[in-house]
Amino acid sequence: MSYHIVVCGSIVPDPLQVLEPIVGPTGPALKNEMMLPAVLDPWAGHALFEAANLAKNVPNSKVWLVALGPKAKLQQVMMSVAQKALFTLVAADGPASGFVDAFDTAAALTTAIEGIADLDRDKMLLFGGWQSASRGTGATIQMVGERLGIVNQFQGVDKLTVNADGSMDILERIEGGSYLTSRLSSAPAAMGWATGELPEPPNNPQVGMMNMKSIMPALQQAKPAQLTGAGFKVENVAQPKVMRQTRIEKDMSTDAIAQEIVAWIKG
Amino acid sequence: MYTLQTLPGDDVRQIMWRFAERFDLQMVVQSSRSIARTTVASLVAQGARNSHEWTDLKQELLDAFDASGLTALYMNTSQGGFMDGPKNLALSLAAFELSWVDGGAATSSLASNLALAPSHEKGTPEQRDYYMSRAVPPQPGEDRTIWRGAFALTEPLPYVGVDTGVLVGKVKVKDWKDGEEPMLQVEKRGRFITNMDFAYFVTAAVDSTDERIKGSCMITLEEGDEGSFDRGAPTMKMCHQLSSTRDPIINVTVPASRIIGGYTVVDGQIVPNFTHGEIIGSVFHRTRIPVGLMTTAKLLSAVEPVIRYHRTRFRGGDASNPGSPKFEQGIQQKEDAQQRLIDIWAIGEAGASMGFTAAREADTFDPIEREKESFLAEQGCTSARKQFAMIRKKDAETMEYIDLLFDTGRDETRFAALDADVLVKFSYLDKLLGVIIPTTKLWNTGVGAIFLREAISLVGGYGITEDCPGFLMNKWADSQLEATYEGPEAVQRMHLTITQADPVFLHLLGKYADDMAASDAPGSDGLAAGIRMWLTAMTYLSENTDADGNKLYHRKRQGVTFPMADAVGWLLASYYLFKDVAELQEKGGMNPTVAEGLEGLSGFYADLAQVMAARAVGEVGRILSELVYGFNSGADVSAFAALRAEADAKLAGVRLAKDRAGQALTQVMIPEALDYPM
Ligand SMILES: Cc1cc2nc3c(=O)[nH]c(=O)nc-3n(C[C@H](O)[C@H](O)[C@H](O)COP(=O)(O)OP(=O)(O)OC[C@H]3O[C@@H](n4cnc5c(N)ncnc54)[C@H](O)[C@@H]3O)c2cc1C
């Protein structure tokens, strides 16, 4: 038993930056988005670290990271991400912004996955974030799964345990802080991860150097993704009415923070 | 008028500092940055700096370095590292990233390497591999403790400090049986020795007190050696508290094979292959670059917190209303606040340009230096004096090589021939690095410290508190140590006294002036005049005497040579900034991310370079005028006076550049909050 884990994930602007929506020549965008530093989408990050951990514990397993994003920015982010987990990058050049149709994105990701030569679909676990920090539609992984004919799908996954008989127990978040446990007999399956249970691994340059052997060619060869945008239009983009104000508090207790949030919600 | 859209990101830095093609280095940057802005920052925020002792909290730093590959950065892959080849640029980038948050953390990351450097530079291959492979963290499955090291040169008063000749550390033969390795008794007391809380080995400079050992050497001492290995009292230092410093007292017996670089026995006498002076010369040649860049990083790190403070100064409460200039721009409405920050930024950029140039060139130099060693050894030319003479003979060809480096229509065959001549290449890089390494250490830290103080001023009373965003007060205090350890400013100025007067360097500097005169970058013609002014002053001071007939430019006359060294730092820093800006303007368009904001970046950096040039030429003019007029030499000063007038006239437009750059600061988008805890 081994797994071929395909993680779909891309980049988002560093959340500490000022994210100001504007309407540009090609539709809505974030001000200076191309120039802002980017990070791996945190939801995808959880999926990637879970995938790497699973591959480490189940011999002969393999991880691919399939990313649709602007090449140059993807490359910058890889300098950090590649040090955290062993994977093979499959890159498609295109926008990763929050203003692209999830339907288009799913189609592009599917094409990229179908192009992976040594992927064994019977062993495949499709991983990704159940949300994205740039656009929380929660739809992309679902659609990629559908397109690949993967019908066993789980969303809001926090834990995956492989049992001795090869079956898997999957913990999915449901409403009210509860979990739904499912047992799945075998791959393939699609899982949109919530936070998972693993911390972000420290950077390991040895891992990074190994990954780079495949990452640099993958980035160089990344083909422009065909995103039609047909039938999809963002009508309006605005910042939430209450302006974001970041404040740094050094010595504030958790209780005091909670109280302040409650007071703020109550207005 | 341009708009600077965002603060320069990694893509911009990679182009300017020329590592856009080096993903190994880009990964080093990311690793160091993530430690700096998490582990290091939270240690500072938790008050870990408030103790002289090496605490468990501080130990987290070393654990983080081990886990993320920084400890192994100095090693080759065969020694357990992850990259091969010279590491000057890699170590410089790591130190830069760490000191962006805390200088002491950067020192901690470098100190073990400094201890390894004597073996790395001059040790036997066995010594090198032995210590380097034990200094890497254990790999999965390995059960061993990592060996950290300390470099012990400085001694208690009245011994080694700036003057490294007054060694009191002693070595003598304890036991020497026929046909066996001699056993040596080594006594070393150190002062201010970094890493001493946990160092397993110490590379110590000692002098012989035994006629059976010739002269001085460096020798490796281990905690497990027979005798006493007292770590001594902690140094009550007021900066770099995230590094460990103590005054050790060591008295141990070790085999003679620990002498770094080995030894030969001549007529019954142990003759170390290298004196302590030769070893420290070659070690410090390189390790001073990252130290200079540490202060620089802190200057650049101050930009974002100062802008944020100014912009948000009057927000909240009823001090101002949203939408009003006072609310939106805060102190940034005021010209002086913008423009002083431009000065700080320019000094930071120029220091980075000079320091990273030095690091890159040192990477090129490392293999060439080894090639030169083996080439000269094959010729039977091994003594330092003979080697010096042999390289001197190459001066004319080296100058020709320099001419061709700047000649766009050059004879390529001739250039290739000179480029392939190891002595010519060695000579060029040696003369260049002989100046730009000490100027990186001297100028970046000394001038950097002054401008860090300016940064604190821009944050008012808050700047002087522990809560000041960006830890500016710590950074300022730390910069004083960066100016001091690994040779304080006096040592760099002494070094420059010789190297800046070298004919090959003077020729190169002349070429820099021509290069600037031919450039159309605003302010570059002023820098050309400034450089020529310095060269003219150098000739004047070398050829003339003071009113009493005493020589002016003379090794012993620090009142002349030292200010000249201060001046050359300003000029070189300004020159390399122009070169990096030109690189950005030329290559930025090829990177889609940079291309997006290139117009603004290009305009802003051009202005910054002009502001820097004006400041540099102003400082240099002031220094040189004192030297040229100040000794009543009576010789003709007209050439100098004409250049000074020309340099002044070429300041035309610089204040407009500063106006524009200052304005750009009011528009630039900065993150919501600092990306490290406070
Ligand atoms: C925190 C810390 C960590 C350190 N870590 C190490 C370490 O790991 N290993 C190590 O070996 N050392 C270490 N040092 C020592 C450091 O390198 C020395 O302090 C430094 O080299 C200067 O020596 P000194 O303090 O004895 O100064 P001195 O020799 O007393 O000089 C004091 C000043 O006198 C003037 N001066 C002295 N000589 C001359 C001259 N010839 N010409 C002109 N002016 C002169 C200069 O202004 C100079 O700055 C450390 C120091 C500190 C504070």
Side-chain angles (χ1 to χ4, degrees):
Chain A
M1 178 194 60
S2 62
Y3 298 113
H4 280 185
I5 312 166
V6 175
V7 183
C8 294
S10 190
I11 57 172
V12 293
D14 178 348
L16 271 184
Q17 301 292 331
V18 178
L19 304 177
E20 194 182 323
I22 51 162
V23 178
T26 55
L30 289 179
K31 189 175 173 188
N32 297 330
E33 184 166 4
M34 193 61 178
M35 296 173 69
L36 294 178
V39 295
L40 181 67
D41 190 333
W43 302 103
H46 300 310
L48 178 65
F49 306 144
E50 292 286 345
N53 188 51
L54 179 60
K56 202 168 71 189
N57 294 325
V58 181
N60 301 321
S61 297
K62 232 191 125 177
V63 179
W64 287 265
L65 175 65
V66 179
L68 166 65
K71 255 206 277 199
K73 295 201 78 69
L74 212 47
Q75 180 173 333
Q76 290 296 344
V77 173
M78 283 303 127
M79 294 308 154
S80 160
V81 175
Q83 299 192 59
K84 297 185 182 293
L86 264 180
F87 60 82
T88 304
L89 179 73
V90 178
D93 194 17
S97 95
F99 306 109
V100 182
D101 187 5
F103 182 84
D104 266 357
T105 302
L109 290 173
T110 308
T111 310
I113 294 170
E114 284 167 344
I116 303 176
D118 45 351
L119 178 67
D120 183 341
R121 296 275 198 100
D122 293 335
K123 295 181 177 175
M124 179 172 174
L125 294 178
L126 175 69
F127 278 21
W130 73 324
Q131 297 281 323
S132 157
S134 64
R135 174 200 51 207
T137 63
T140 311
I141 290 301
Q142 210 172 357
M143 289 193 274
V144 175
E146 287 295 336
R147 283 171 178 270
L148 292 169
I150 300 174
V151 291
N152 286 320
Q153 298 207 355
F154 306 87
Q155 290 296 338
V157 177
D158 262 343
K159 192 170 185 175
L160 165 64
T161 317
V162 179
N163 302 312
D165 62 359
S167 65
M168 288 169 262
D169 287 342
I170 297 154
L171 221 58
E172 272 173 293
R173 286 187 189 182
I174 50 173
E175 277 169 43
S178 303
Y179 276 113
L180 171 69
T181 312
S182 312
R183 177 156 297 176
L184 176 70
S185 56
S186 68
M191 292 174 208
W193 281 84
T195 53
E197 297 198 322
L198 299 174
E200 183 172 326
N203 285 352
N204 179 337
Q206 243 125 0
V207 170
M209 293 298 272
M210 254 184 291
N211 278 335
M212 278 303 154
K213 286 183 200 142
S214 77
I215 289 178
M216 294 316 281
L219 285 168
Q220 270 147 19
Q221 291 154 20
K223 292 192 195 77
Q226 303 299 324
L227 303 180
T228 63
F232 175 79
K233 189 157 174 261
V234 178
E235 293 284 355
N236 183 28
V237 181
Q239 268 181 332
K241 276 204 202 71
V242 178
M243 289 288 285
R244 169 179 167 183
Q245 272 188 4
T246 307
R247 213 174 77 210
I248 306 280
E249 285 295 344
K250 211 167 160 182
D251 302 315
M252 206 166 166
S253 71
T254 326
D255 279 352
I257 294 171
Q259 270 163 17
E260 196 176 316
I261 294 172
V262 170
W264 177 78
I265 292 170
K266 285 183 174 165
Chain B
M1 181 65 194
Y2 54 84
T3 306
L4 180 66
Q5 286 166 270
T6 61
L7 298 173
D10 282 324
D11 319 71
V12 175
R13 293 322 192 175
Q14 287 158 11
I15 295 171
M16 292 180 78
W17 303 337
R18 328 291 166 95
F19 64 106
E21 308 297 323
R22 292 280 306 272
F23 59 76
D24 50 351
L25 296 179
Q26 294 173 24
M27 285 197 287
V28 168
V29 167
Q30 295 302 331
S31 278
S32 341
R33 185 179 302 162
S34 78
I35 295 175
R37 305 198 191 183
T38 56
T39 313
V40 175
S42 74
L43 287 178
V44 180
Q46 286 174 68
R49 289 178 57 114
N50 300 337
S51 151
H52 298 300
E53 295 294 342
W54 190 252
T55 57
D56 290 346
L57 210 54
K58 294 184 191 178
Q59 178 64 29
E60 287 176 15
L61 202 60
L62 301 183
D63 298 339
F65 293 158
D66 293 350
S68 65
L70 279 197
T71 308
L73 179 56
Y74 190 51
M75 287 55 150
N76 284 335
T77 46
S78 62
Q79 297 154 336
F82 58 91
M83 58 195 265
D84 288 318
K87 314 269 185 324
N88 301 295
L89 185 51
L91 293 169
S92 296
L93 287 165
F96 181 92
E97 286 297 334
L98 289 168
S99 52
W100 187 276
V101 178
D102 188 87
T107 295
S108 285
S109 87
L110 294 169
S112 250
N113 300 340
L114 183 63
L116 289 164
S119 309
H120 185 265
E121 302 306 329
K122 296 286 180 200
T124 63
E126 297 74 35
Q127 288 171 338
R128 198 159 38 225
D129 287 344
Y130 186 82
Y131 288 101
M132 300 285 272
S133 59
R134 278 163 182 74
V136 294
Q139 300 301 303
E142 258 187 313
D143 180 24
R144 63 175 169 82
T145 322
I146 176 169
W147 285 14
R148 300 187 206 278
F151 176 91
L153 170 64
T154 310
E155 297 179 338
L157 299 177
Y159 303 106
V160 175
V162 166
D163 183 349
T164 56
V166 285
L167 265 182
V168 72
K170 304 260 183 297
V171 56
K172 62 183 181 203
V173 175
K174 184 177 186 198
D175 197 11
W176 190 351
K177 295 202 180 72
D178 246 7
E180 283 182 24
E181 174 94 79
M183 295 303 288
L184 309 178
Q185 188 67 33
V186 182
E187 217 187 307
K188 175 80 187 182
R189 295 170 72 105
R191 183 170 61 124
F192 307 153
I193 305 304
T194 306
N195 266 11
M196 212 46 238
D197 277 273
F198 40 75
Y200 180 79
F201 69 94
V202 170
T203 41
V206 288
D207 207 358
S208 166
T209 51
D210 188 329
E211 59 191 20
R212 287 170 294 172
I213 306 174
K214 187 175 176 200
S216 72
C217 66
M218 287 206 77
I219 191 160
T220 310
L221 316 175
E222 295 176 10
E223 188 180 13
D225 290 332
E226 183 196 327
S228 106
F229 193 92
D230 181 351
R231 296 180 180 277
T235 305
M236 302 291 158
K237 60 187 191 288
M238 297 178 73
C239 52
H240 278 233
Q241 286 94 335
L242 291 191
S243 69
S244 137
T245 327
R246 303 183 84 93
D247 295 356
I249 306 167
I250 302 174
N251 192 345
V252 288
T253 309
V254 298
S257 60
R258 295 274 190 81
I259 294 174
I260 295 172
Y263 63 95
T264 47
V265 177
V266 182
D267 299 332
Q269 193 189 32
I270 297 169
V271 183
N273 291 337
F274 299 101
T275 65
H276 83 291
E278 284 167 333
I279 293 183
I280 57 182
S282 125
V283 165
F284 284 147
H285 196 49
R286 292 157 173 84
T287 55
R288 283 168 175 160
I289 307 169
V291 179
L293 283 164
M294 282 162 60
T295 315
T296 296
K298 293 183 286 183
L299 285 172
L300 293 175
S301 83
V303 170
E304 181 193 318
V306 171
I307 293 179
R308 183 174 299 106
Y309 179 77
H310 285 174
R311 212 174 268 176
T312 60
R313 174 66 177 80
F314 301 113
R315 292 185 193 170
D318 51 11
S320 63
N321 294 320
S324 69
K326 189 167 187 178
F327 181 94
E328 299 300 334
Q329 292 172 15
I331 297 176
Q332 282 206 315
Q333 278 179 292
K334 308 295 176 195
E335 208 168 61
D336 186 68
Q338 304 161 11
Q339 298 192 351
R340 281 186 195 273
L341 187 57
I342 286 299
D343 284 335
I344 294 165
W345 194 339
I347 298 289
E349 288 292 341
S353 292
M354 178 155 71
F356 285 118
T357 303
R360 270 193 322 271
E361 297 292 0
D363 276 356
T364 316
F365 181 66
D366 279 4
I368 286 167
E369 190 184 30
R370 286 180 204 280
E371 218 184 297
K372 170 223 95 175
E373 288 293 332
S374 52
F375 176 79
L376 289 178
E378 275 167 33
Q379 315 267 312
C381 178
T382 46
S383 85
R385 266 232 330 266
K386 274 194 199 155
Q387 288 202 355
F388 182 79
M390 189 109 163
I391 290 158
R392 242 311 151 248
K393 279 196 206 136
K394 290 278 180 184
D395 274 5
E397 281 168 283
T398 310
M399 290 187 210
E400 186 189 350
Y401 178 71
I402 290 169
D403 289 343
L404 295 179
L405 278 175
F406 287 88
D407 180 358
T408 42
R410 69 188 169 206
D411 173 351
E412 290 297 340
T413 323
R414 180 63 183 152
F415 178 73
L418 289 171
D419 194 55
D421 184 328
V422 64
L423 293 188
V424 168
K425 198 84 183 273
F426 171 84
S427 165
Y428 161 64
L429 288 167
D430 188 45
K431 302 297 160 65
L432 169 67
L433 290 169
V435 174
I436 65 173
I437 293 178
T439 51
T440 295
K441 176 73 164 61
L442 173 68
W443 188 87
N444 288 30
T445 61
V447 175
I450 295 169
F451 280 84
L452 269 169
R453 196 204 66 77
E454 289 274 341
I456 296 173
S457 294
L458 291 180
V459 194
Y462 199 20
I464 316 172
T465 67
E466 272 188 25
D467 298 330
C468 175
F471 309 132
L472 295 184
M473 197 67 195
N474 291 344
K475 286 175 180 169
W476 178 37
D478 287 350
S479 63
Q480 188 53 39
L481 180 58
E482 288 135 33
T484 301
Y485 69 174
E486 294 204 29
E489 290 146 296
V491 173
Q492 311 312 318
R493 292 179 180 125
M494 280 192 269
H495 194 94
L496 285 163
T497 296
I498 311 293
T499 57
Q500 69 187 356
D502 186 280
V504 173
F505 173 73
L506 294 173
H507 187 78
L508 176 65
L509 197 59
K511 280 283 155 193
Y512 282 4
D514 297 346
D515 187 28
M516 288 292 98
S519 159
D520 53 12
S524 59
D525 54 350
L527 179 61
I531 295 176
R532 287 175 179 152
M533 189 164 56
W534 187 93
L535 287 165
T536 305
M538 180 58 115
T539 309
Y540 183 91
L541 296 167
S542 304
E543 290 177 354
N544 296 302
T545 57
D546 67 13
D548 298 329
N550 295 318
K551 278 189 177 164
L552 286 169
Y553 197 93
H554 182 269
R555 199 168 54 84
K556 293 227 168 104
R557 195 145 197 187
Q558 295 181 345
V560 175
T561 58
F562 280 25
M564 285 298 278
D566 294 333
V568 82
W570 281 100
L571 297 171
L572 290 167
S574 172
Y575 175 77
Y576 293 118
L577 178 57
F578 273 117
K579 298 309 279 182
D580 284 357
V581 172
E583 182 81 3
L584 178 67
Q585 289 167 336
E586 187 189 326
K587 308 256 169 82
M590 290 175 227
N591 178 315
T593 324
V594 179
E596 181 105 349
L598 189 58
E599 198 190 328
L601 281 164
S602 177
F604 178 73
Y605 269 106
D607 283 342
L608 217 52
Q610 189 178 3
V611 166
M612 172 63 200
R615 183 69 182 240
V617 174
E619 291 288 340
V620 168
R622 177 184 61 76
I623 295 170
L624 298 181
S625 286
E626 276 189 37
L627 296 178
V628 169
Y629 295 104
F631 291 100
N632 293 343
S633 124
D636 177 16
V637 293
S638 56
F640 175 80
L643 275 165
R644 176 130 206 218
E646 183 189 335
D648 279 352
K650 287 190 168 146
L651 293 174
V654 65
R655 279 283 159 169
L656 295 173
K658 201 173 216 176
D659 283 349
R660 284 191 299 269
Q663 264 302 311
L665 291 188
T666 65
Q667 306 297 323
V668 67
M669 194 160 119
I670 61 165
E672 286 275 338
L674 211 54
D675 66 348
Y676 51 95
M678 304 187 304

